[in-house]
Amino acid sequence: MSEPLDPEDRKILTLARSARARNRTPEGAAVRDETGRTYVATTVALDSLRLSALRTAVAMAVASGATSLEAAAVVTEAEAPPAEDLAAVRDLGGAGTPVLLAGPDGLPRATIPAS
């Protein structure tokens, strides 16, 4: 990515990377709701429940009363978020909600619309 990130977008990317490192999980994610509140999550891998970090962050936002999303970020080794993750962001934030994708080093690789 050649354009500089907005400070609030940089913040959710940093939070996602920190959560991933702290919990030693494959992914870390963060979402920002319509009021500026941030929800941070990592991959959930229980025998009875499996959720990506991004879907977990969206679920946390919904459970806390968020009605829309301004932005989302995911730190992962994957080349792109799965369609299910983008669908979760789209369900709450709409098709235009940007999903920032970064590698484990925290460097942004792409901004993907949730469409």
Side-chain angles (χ1 to χ4, degrees):
M1 291 181 49
S2 59
E3 57 194 57
L5 284 179
D6 172 271
E8 291 299 314
D9 291 344
R10 170 66 59 197
K11 175 184 168 185
I12 62 172
L13 203 52
T14 299
L15 290 169
R17 182 175 184 228
S18 297
R20 179 184 182 269
R22 181 179 56 252
N23 291 349
R24 296 183 183 101
T25 57
E27 297 177 335
V31 298
R32 184 176 61 248
D33 74 10
E34 74 281 0
T35 67
R37 290 180 295 183
T38 303
Y39 306 89
V40 181
T42 59
T43 308
V44 174
L46 301 173
D47 289 341
S48 62
L49 179 64
R50 298 208 177 267
L51 291 172
S52 71
L54 192 50
R55 281 182 275 164
T56 303
V58 170
M60 291 171 63
V62 170
S64 296
T67 58
S68 67
L69 295 178
E70 291 181 351
V74 62
V75 175
T76 180
E77 291 183 12
E79 293 298 316
E84 296 87 356
D85 286 15
L86 296 176
V89 171
R90 185 176 56 247
D91 285 349
L92 186 57
T97 303
V99 178
L100 305 168
L101 175 67
D105 58 5
L107 295 176
R109 294 190 299 212
T111 300
I112 303 162
S115 58

